[in-house]
Amino acid sequence: MKKNISNLLSQAYPFYYQGKELWSITILLFFMTFLFGYFFEPFEVYQPEHKMGYFWITLIHSCTPVFMIFIFLSLKISPITKENWTIKKEILLVASFLLFVGIVQFLIRDIIYDNPNNWSLRYFYEELRNTFLVGILFAFILVPINYHRLNTKNSRNANAFNTSKKKSIISKKTPSHINELNVDSQNVLYAKAEGNYIELFLNDGSKILKRLTMKRLENILDSYSNYIKTHRSYIVNINQIDSVTGNAQGYKLQLKNCSNTIPVSRNMISKFNKKMNS
């Protein structure tokens, strides 16, 4: 049982908290919180304590998560963390976010309620409890929907690549020999970064180890249009792609004469789509 739970928590999970997706989530969260609080009044309220109308109270409570998202945005999350995001990390992030939202909701009670016990442990507990109840409810609604949306979108795009023949005609006019690496540009399946070294995997099953950084390799391959970076640790020869599969995390590439699957991370999907459709 413990092993199954551990395996579940270590599974890859999409990282949503950047770019347009983050703004979409923020706007949706605001409206859901406001509409849910205003029309359903999920928690008991005592009108004589209110310093303002219920509309404005609901609006303030709905703005608190948005404010906390801006605070979280100020925290720089490394690309490694984003690409290695898991269910466990997602749960911890959401729990931390709800905890801080609950604390802020407690701290602003004096602005909203005329109650001498605003700073009591009872109301501290109530604000945390209410925040977690609503947050968990929204998570159970939004997470599966968004996960299904991404999975469907990426699977559909991957199937489109598989049915097209574009991938077999890319870069016929590029130079055939990569002088700096001393290999033929069409014989390389993919390159993988290992610290300050690069492993070049060739279509005959062999591999070459070069003392090289990923950044330097990108510069070398810049003039070869059949190469694209799909992940912080991978560069792939597009002409060697045999099939593409998609899920909520991104794409998985199956190359010719290769049993390994190569990831296309979510932050590389847009660039990959543009390359494959160019």
Side-chain angles (χ1 to χ4, degrees):
M1 181 67 177
K2 289 183 178 180
K3 185 176 181 181
N4 292 335
I5 294 176
S6 178
N7 290 337
L8 174 65
L9 294 177
S10 62
Q11 287 184 13
Y13 192 82
F15 186 88
Y16 301 121
Y17 311 107
Q18 57 185 358
K20 293 182 179 179
E21 283 192 353
L22 177 61
W23 286 108
S24 298
I25 291 173
T26 302
I27 294 171
L28 183 60
L29 179 62
F30 169 78
F31 281 106
M32 286 184 66
T33 304
F34 178 79
L35 295 175
F36 180 73
Y38 186 74
F39 289 105
F40 290 95
E41 297 186 16
F43 306 109
E44 182 181 354
V45 295
Y46 184 55
Q47 295 287 348
E49 291 183 354
H50 293 181
K51 290 183 176 181
M52 61 190 73
Y54 188 68
F55 173 88
W56 298 108
I57 291 175
T58 308
L59 183 64
I60 291 173
H61 281 307
S62 302
C63 287
T64 303
V66 176
F67 170 75
M68 291 308 302
I69 287 175
F70 281 108
I71 298 297
F72 271 57
L73 275 176
S74 65
L75 303 176
K76 299 297 182 181
I77 300 179
S78 71
I80 299 177
T81 302
K82 296 175 184 177
E83 293 171 2
N84 295 322
W85 201 246
T86 62
I87 292 176
K88 179 181 178 181
K89 293 176 182 177
E90 178 74 8
I91 292 174
L92 291 174
L93 180 64
V94 171
S96 300
F97 175 75
L98 293 177
L99 174 63
F100 282 105
V101 170
I103 292 173
V104 174
Q105 300 284 29
F106 170 73
L107 294 176
I108 63 175
R109 282 189 59 86
D110 272 343
I111 300 174
I112 301 171
Y113 307 110
D114 186 12
N115 188 319
N117 297 316
N118 276 336
W119 293 88
S120 66
L121 288 176
R122 171 198 167 188
Y123 285 118
F124 180 71
Y125 164 76
E126 282 192 6
E127 294 296 347
L128 290 181
R129 180 200 63 189
N130 296 347
T131 300
F132 271 88
L133 287 175
V134 175
I136 292 172
L137 173 63
F138 287 175
F140 273 110
I141 296 173
L142 293 176
V143 171
I145 292 174
N146 201 32
Y147 192 91
H148 177 73
R149 179 186 66 83
L150 285 173
N151 190 69
T152 302
K153 177 183 176 182
N154 291 340
S155 296
R156 182 176 62 248
N157 290 340
N159 290 334
F161 294 140
N162 293 330
T163 57
S164 72
K165 300 299 180 183
K166 294 178 183 178
K167 58 180 179 292
S168 63
I169 61 174
I170 293 175
S171 82
K172 287 191 173 182
K173 295 182 179 180
T174 57
S176 61
H177 194 77
I178 308 175
N179 295 325
E180 295 91 334
L181 303 178
N182 196 28
V183 294
D184 190 290
S185 67
Q186 298 301 332
N187 287 339
V188 178
L189 295 175
Y190 68 96
K192 180 181 179 182
E194 293 287 350
N196 290 324
Y197 289 86
I198 295 290
E199 289 182 309
L200 299 175
F201 293 80
L202 308 182
N203 56 19
D204 62 0
S206 63
K207 65 180 180 179
I208 301 173
L209 186 66
K210 297 282 187 179
R211 184 172 177 82
L212 205 64
T213 63
M214 177 59 79
K215 184 63 177 178
R216 174 58 182 155
L217 180 63
E218 288 182 73
N219 292 335
I220 292 174
L221 297 178
D222 185 57
S223 60
Y224 296 82
S225 60
N226 56 311
Y227 288 100
I228 184 172
K229 186 177 182 181
T230 63
H231 184 275
R232 62 179 299 273
S233 300
Y234 290 91
I235 292 179
V236 171
N237 183 348
I238 296 179
N239 288 341
Q240 298 293 347
I241 296 176
D242 189 48
S243 63
V244 185
T245 57
N247 55 35
Q249 283 77 40
Y251 300 143
K252 295 288 185 182
L253 308 180
Q254 187 65 57
L255 306 182
K256 301 171 184 177
N257 305 314
C258 181
S259 59
N260 298 329
T261 57
I262 311 302
V264 180
S265 59
R266 288 187 64 244
N267 57 328
M268 297 291 184
I269 284 180
S270 178
K271 182 179 178 181
F272 182 84
N273 290 345
K274 184 176 180 181
K275 186 79 168 181
M276 293 294 284
N277 290 315
S278 64

PDB file of all heavy atoms in Angstrom, residues 167-186:
ATOM      1  N   LYS A 167       7.593  15.329 -41.189  1.00  0.00           N
ATOM      2  CA  LYS A 167       8.785  15.058 -40.395  1.00  0.00           C
ATOM      3  C   LYS A 167       9.877  14.373 -41.196  1.00  0.00           C
ATOM      4  O   LYS A 167      11.031  14.353 -40.811  1.00  0.00           O
ATOM      5  CB  LYS A 167       8.425  14.189 -39.189  1.00  0.00           C
ATOM      6  CG  LYS A 167       7.774  12.849 -39.517  1.00  0.00           C
ATOM      7  CD  LYS A 167       7.477  12.110 -38.234  1.00  0.00           C
ATOM      8  CE  LYS A 167       6.798  10.767 -38.486  1.00  0.00           C
ATOM      9  NZ  LYS A 167       5.445  10.896 -39.026  1.00  0.00           N
ATOM     10  N   SER A 168       9.511  13.772 -42.353  1.00  0.00           N
ATOM     11  CA  SER A 168      10.501  13.039 -43.138  1.00  0.00           C
ATOM     12  C   SER A 168      11.189  13.898 -44.187  1.00  0.00           C
ATOM     13  O   SER A 168      12.075  13.439 -44.876  1.00  0.00           O
ATOM     14  CB  SER A 168       9.819  11.850 -43.830  1.00  0.00           C
ATOM     15  OG  SER A 168       8.839  12.320 -44.738  1.00  0.00           O
ATOM     16  N   ILE A 169      10.774  15.179 -44.348  1.00  0.00           N
ATOM     17  CA  ILE A 169      11.344  15.996 -45.403  1.00  0.00           C
ATOM     18  C   ILE A 169      12.029  17.249 -44.857  1.00  0.00           C
ATOM     19  O   ILE A 169      12.361  18.151 -45.596  1.00  0.00           O
ATOM     20  CB  ILE A 169      10.257  16.406 -46.414  1.00  0.00           C
ATOM     21  CG1 ILE A 169       9.156  17.225 -45.733  1.00  0.00           C
ATOM     22  CG2 ILE A 169       9.670  15.196 -47.109  1.00  0.00           C
ATOM     23  CD1 ILE A 169       8.126  17.789 -46.706  1.00  0.00           C
ATOM     24  N   ILE A 170      12.248  17.304 -43.562  1.00  0.00           N
ATOM     25  CA  ILE A 170      12.854  18.488 -42.962  1.00  0.00           C
ATOM     26  C   ILE A 170      14.357  18.529 -43.225  1.00  0.00           C
ATOM     27  O   ILE A 170      15.039  17.516 -43.159  1.00  0.00           O
ATOM     28  CB  ILE A 170      12.582  18.513 -41.448  1.00  0.00           C
ATOM     29  CG1 ILE A 170      11.083  18.716 -41.214  1.00  0.00           C
ATOM     30  CG2 ILE A 170      13.376  19.580 -40.741  1.00  0.00           C
ATOM     31  CD1 ILE A 170      10.682  18.639 -39.776  1.00  0.00           C
ATOM     32  N   SER A 171      14.869  19.692 -43.519  1.00  0.00           N
ATOM     33  CA  SER A 171      16.299  20.007 -43.577  1.00  0.00           C
ATOM     34  C   SER A 171      17.073  19.231 -44.619  1.00  0.00           C
ATOM     35  O   SER A 171      18.168  18.772 -44.374  1.00  0.00           O
ATOM     36  CB  SER A 171      16.961  19.798 -42.211  1.00  0.00           C
ATOM     37  OG  SER A 171      17.286  18.462 -41.960  1.00  0.00           O
ATOM     38  N   LYS A 172      16.542  19.081 -45.831  1.00  0.00           N
ATOM     39  CA  LYS A 172      17.301  18.393 -46.875  1.00  0.00           C
ATOM     40  C   LYS A 172      18.462  19.239 -47.395  1.00  0.00           C
ATOM     41  O   LYS A 172      19.377  18.723 -48.006  1.00  0.00           O
ATOM     42  CB  LYS A 172      16.375  18.014 -48.025  1.00  0.00           C
ATOM     43  CG  LYS A 172      15.444  16.848 -47.673  1.00  0.00           C
ATOM     44  CD  LYS A 172      14.736  16.323 -48.904  1.00  0.00           C
ATOM     45  CE  LYS A 172      13.950  15.063 -48.565  1.00  0.00           C
ATOM     46  NZ  LYS A 172      13.278  14.488 -49.737  1.00  0.00           N
ATOM     47  N   LYS A 173      18.406  20.538 -47.145  1.00  0.00           N
ATOM     48  CA  LYS A 173      19.456  21.416 -47.648  1.00  0.00           C
ATOM     49  C   LYS A 173      20.486  21.780 -46.589  1.00  0.00           C
ATOM     50  O   LYS A 173      21.358  22.591 -46.834  1.00  0.00           O
ATOM     51  CB  LYS A 173      18.830  22.696 -48.219  1.00  0.00           C
ATOM     52  CG  LYS A 173      17.951  22.444 -49.448  1.00  0.00           C
ATOM     53  CD  LYS A 173      17.402  23.738 -50.002  1.00  0.00           C
ATOM     54  CE  LYS A 173      16.534  23.494 -51.236  1.00  0.00           C
ATOM     55  NZ  LYS A 173      15.999  24.758 -51.796  1.00  0.00           N
ATOM     56  N   THR A 174      20.397  21.205 -45.418  1.00  0.00           N
ATOM     57  CA  THR A 174      21.363  21.516 -44.373  1.00  0.00           C
ATOM     58  C   THR A 174      22.670  20.784 -44.629  1.00  0.00           C
ATOM     59  O   THR A 174      22.698  19.732 -45.288  1.00  0.00           O
ATOM     60  CB  THR A 174      20.824  21.107 -42.996  1.00  0.00           C
ATOM     61  OG1 THR A 174      20.498  19.719 -43.024  1.00  0.00           O
ATOM     62  CG2 THR A 174      19.600  21.907 -42.641  1.00  0.00           C
ATOM     63  N   PRO A 175      23.788  21.303 -44.127  1.00  0.00           N
ATOM     64  CA  PRO A 175      25.078  20.621 -44.293  1.00  0.00           C
ATOM     65  C   PRO A 175      25.015  19.198 -43.732  1.00  0.00           C
ATOM     66  O   PRO A 175      24.346  18.948 -42.728  1.00  0.00           O
ATOM     67  CB  PRO A 175      26.044  21.500 -43.484  1.00  0.00           C
ATOM     68  CG  PRO A 175      25.367  22.834 -43.402  1.00  0.00           C
ATOM     69  CD  PRO A 175      23.906  22.552 -43.370  1.00  0.00           C
ATOM     70  N   SER A 176      25.699  18.266 -44.388  1.00  0.00           N
ATOM     71  CA  SER A 176      25.612  16.863 -43.973  1.00  0.00           C
ATOM     72  C   SER A 176      26.589  16.521 -42.855  1.00  0.00           C
ATOM     73  O   SER A 176      26.334  15.590 -42.091  1.00  0.00           O
ATOM     74  CB  SER A 176      25.878  15.943 -45.169  1.00  0.00           C
ATOM     75  OG  SER A 176      27.189  16.174 -45.679  1.00  0.00           O
ATOM     76  N   HIS A 177      27.681  17.254 -42.731  1.00  0.00           N
ATOM     77  CA  HIS A 177      28.702  16.899 -41.752  1.00  0.00           C
ATOM     78  C   HIS A 177      28.836  17.994 -40.698  1.00  0.00           C
ATOM     79  O   HIS A 177      28.902  19.180 -41.023  1.00  0.00           O
ATOM     80  CB  HIS A 177      30.054  16.684 -42.432  1.00  0.00           C
ATOM     81  CG  HIS A 177      31.047  15.998 -41.540  1.00  0.00           C
ATOM     82  ND1 HIS A 177      31.010  14.644 -41.277  1.00  0.00           N
ATOM     83  CD2 HIS A 177      32.097  16.484 -40.834  1.00  0.00           C
ATOM     84  CE1 HIS A 177      32.001  14.328 -40.472  1.00  0.00           C
ATOM     85  NE2 HIS A 177      32.674  15.423 -40.181  1.00  0.00           N
ATOM     86  N   ILE A 178      28.846  17.586 -39.446  1.00  0.00           N
ATOM     87  CA  ILE A 178      29.031  18.531 -38.345  1.00  0.00           C
ATOM     88  C   ILE A 178      30.500  18.478 -37.948  1.00  0.00           C
ATOM     89  O   ILE A 178      30.932  17.568 -37.239  1.00  0.00           O
ATOM     90  CB  ILE A 178      28.136  18.175 -37.145  1.00  0.00           C
ATOM     91  CG1 ILE A 178      26.678  18.021 -37.595  1.00  0.00           C
ATOM     92  CG2 ILE A 178      28.249  19.240 -36.061  1.00  0.00           C
ATOM     93  CD1 ILE A 178      25.746  17.564 -36.494  1.00  0.00           C
ATOM     94  N   ASN A 179      31.260  19.457 -38.411  1.00  0.00           N
ATOM     95  CA  ASN A 179      32.707  19.414 -38.227  1.00  0.00           C
ATOM     96  C   ASN A 179      33.116  19.399 -36.762  1.00  0.00           C
ATOM     97  O   ASN A 179      34.021  18.666 -36.357  1.00  0.00           O
ATOM     98  CB  ASN A 179      33.356  20.605 -38.939  1.00  0.00           C
ATOM     99  CG  ASN A 179      33.180  20.534 -40.444  1.00  0.00           C
ATOM    100  OD1 ASN A 179      33.197  19.454 -41.018  1.00  0.00           O
ATOM    101  ND2 ASN A 179      33.013  21.687 -41.086  1.00  0.00           N
ATOM    102  N   GLU A 180      32.468  20.226 -35.957  1.00  0.00           N
ATOM    103  CA  GLU A 180      32.848  20.331 -34.547  1.00  0.00           C
ATOM    104  C   GLU A 180      32.637  19.023 -33.782  1.00  0.00           C
ATOM    105  O   GLU A 180      33.305  18.751 -32.795  1.00  0.00           O
ATOM    106  CB  GLU A 180      32.043  21.445 -33.858  1.00  0.00           C
ATOM    107  CG  GLU A 180      32.341  22.836 -34.379  1.00  0.00           C
ATOM    108  CD  GLU A 180      31.418  23.233 -35.518  1.00  0.00           C
ATOM    109  OE1 GLU A 180      30.908  22.312 -36.217  1.00  0.00           O
ATOM    110  OE2 GLU A 180      31.198  24.439 -35.718  1.00  0.00           O
ATOM    111  N   LEU A 181      31.684  18.205 -34.254  1.00  0.00           N
ATOM    112  CA  LEU A 181      31.396  16.934 -33.574  1.00  0.00           C
ATOM    113  C   LEU A 181      31.952  15.736 -34.332  1.00  0.00           C
ATOM    114  O   LEU A 181      31.957  14.620 -33.814  1.00  0.00           O
ATOM    115  CB  LEU A 181      29.872  16.766 -33.410  1.00  0.00           C
ATOM    116  CG  LEU A 181      29.149  17.890 -32.668  1.00  0.00           C
ATOM    117  CD1 LEU A 181      27.645  17.607 -32.638  1.00  0.00           C
ATOM    118  CD2 LEU A 181      29.684  18.040 -31.255  1.00  0.00           C
ATOM    119  N   ASN A 182      32.377  15.988 -35.575  1.00  0.00           N
ATOM    120  CA  ASN A 182      32.927  14.936 -36.435  1.00  0.00           C
ATOM    121  C   ASN A 182      31.926  13.798 -36.647  1.00  0.00           C
ATOM    122  O   ASN A 182      32.262  12.617 -36.568  1.00  0.00           O
ATOM    123  CB  ASN A 182      34.228  14.377 -35.839  1.00  0.00           C
ATOM    124  CG  ASN A 182      35.019  13.571 -36.865  1.00  0.00           C
ATOM    125  OD1 ASN A 182      34.928  13.828 -38.077  1.00  0.00           O
ATOM    126  ND2 ASN A 182      35.781  12.592 -36.393  1.00  0.00           N
ATOM    127  N   VAL A 183      30.694  14.162 -36.928  1.00  0.00           N
ATOM    128  CA  VAL A 183      29.654  13.176 -37.231  1.00  0.00           C
ATOM    129  C   VAL A 183      28.788  13.696 -38.370  1.00  0.00           C
ATOM    130  O   VAL A 183      28.739  14.902 -38.626  1.00  0.00           O
ATOM    131  CB  VAL A 183      28.747  12.889 -36.007  1.00  0.00           C
ATOM    132  CG1 VAL A 183      29.517  12.202 -34.901  1.00  0.00           C
ATOM    133  CG2 VAL A 183      28.090  14.166 -35.507  1.00  0.00           C
ATOM    134  N   ASP A 184      28.113  12.783 -39.037  1.00  0.00           N
ATOM    135  CA  ASP A 184      27.153  13.153 -40.070  1.00  0.00           C
ATOM    136  C   ASP A 184      25.874  13.632 -39.394  1.00  0.00           C
ATOM    137  O   ASP A 184      25.383  12.989 -38.471  1.00  0.00           O
ATOM    138  CB  ASP A 184      26.855  11.953 -40.973  1.00  0.00           C
ATOM    139  CG  ASP A 184      26.046  12.360 -42.196  1.00  0.00           C
ATOM    140  OD1 ASP A 184      24.861  12.691 -42.018  1.00  0.00           O
ATOM    141  OD2 ASP A 184      26.587  12.344 -43.312  1.00  0.00           O
ATOM    142  N   SER A 185      25.323  14.729 -39.869  1.00  0.00           N
ATOM    143  CA  SER A 185      24.155  15.326 -39.215  1.00  0.00           C
ATOM    144  C   SER A 185      22.940  14.412 -39.247  1.00  0.00           C
ATOM    145  O   SER A 185      22.061  14.505 -38.378  1.00  0.00           O
ATOM    146  CB  SER A 185      23.797  16.670 -39.865  1.00  0.00           C
ATOM    147  OG  SER A 185      23.340  16.472 -41.192  1.00  0.00           O
ATOM    148  N   GLN A 186      22.848  13.533 -40.241  1.00  0.00           N
ATOM    149  CA  GLN A 186      21.695  12.641 -40.336  1.00  0.00           C
ATOM    150  C   GLN A 186      21.876  11.348 -39.559  1.00  0.00           C
ATOM    151  O   GLN A 186      20.922  10.587 -39.394  1.00  0.00           O
ATOM    152  CB  GLN A 186      21.407  12.314 -41.814  1.00  0.00           C
ATOM    153  CG  GLN A 186      21.048  13.527 -42.660  1.00  0.00           C
ATOM    154  CD  GLN A 186      19.825  14.262 -42.147  1.00  0.00           C
ATOM    155  OE1 GLN A 186      18.953  13.681 -41.524  1.00  0.00           O
ATOM    156  NE2 GLN A 186      19.767  15.566 -42.396  1.00  0.00           N
TER     157      GLN A 186
END
